[in-house]
Amino acid sequence: MLNNVLLKYIDAYLLIFGEINTHVMMQKFDICRAKASRVFTIYREGRPTNMRYDSSRKCYVKGFVFEPIHLKDESATRFLAAIDTVFTD
C-alpha cells in the first residue's frame, strides 16, 4: 500500500514542482534511500517518459511527455495537502 502512495506522490510532486529527488521522499515518508530508489525504479518502469534523471541537478525532472498514471483524476494539490496532513514532520 505504501508503494501506491509513494507512486502517487511522485506523480503529484512532478506535476506541481517539476522535479523530485530521493531526499524529498526520505524526509516526507521517513524511508531509507534504498527504498526511495526502488520506488523511482518502479515508477520509471511503468512510464519511462514521465521523468528523466538530471545528473547536474541530482534529481528527476518531469519529462516532456508526462501523463500521471498513478494519480489518475485526483487533484495533485489536494493529494499533496492530504499527504502533508498525514505525514507531518
Side-chain angles (χ1 to χ4, degrees):
M1 182 173 149
L2 181 60
N3 276 357
N4 290 336
V5 171
L6 296 173
L7 294 169
K8 283 184 176 187
Y9 188 80
I10 293 170
D11 267 354
Y13 207 90
L14 286 172
L15 275 170
I16 301 295
F17 299 106
E19 64 182 42
I20 190 168
N21 61 31
T22 55
H23 185 70
V24 168
M25 301 284 281
M26 290 167 53
Q27 274 196 313
K28 179 55 70 181
F29 296 101
D30 194 29
I31 59 175
C32 67
R33 181 174 303 280
K35 172 70 174 176
S37 293
R38 278 193 305 274
V39 172
F40 282 124
T41 299
I42 292 167
Y43 186 91
R44 291 182 66 219
E45 287 171 352
R47 181 70 70 155
T49 61
N50 269 7
M51 68 180 184
R52 62 179 173 75
Y53 189 75
D54 183 330
S55 58
S56 65
R57 293 165 47 187
K58 296 186 179 179
C59 67
Y60 290 97
V61 295
K62 186 167 89 172
F64 296 114
V65 178
F66 183 86
E67 181 183 336
I69 56 174
H70 301 283
L71 198 57
K72 309 270 186 228
D73 295 330
E74 296 177 61
S75 162
T77 306
R78 281 190 282 179
F79 181 79
L80 291 180
I83 291 296
D84 282 344
T85 300
V86 174
F87 293 93
T88 55
D89 295 343

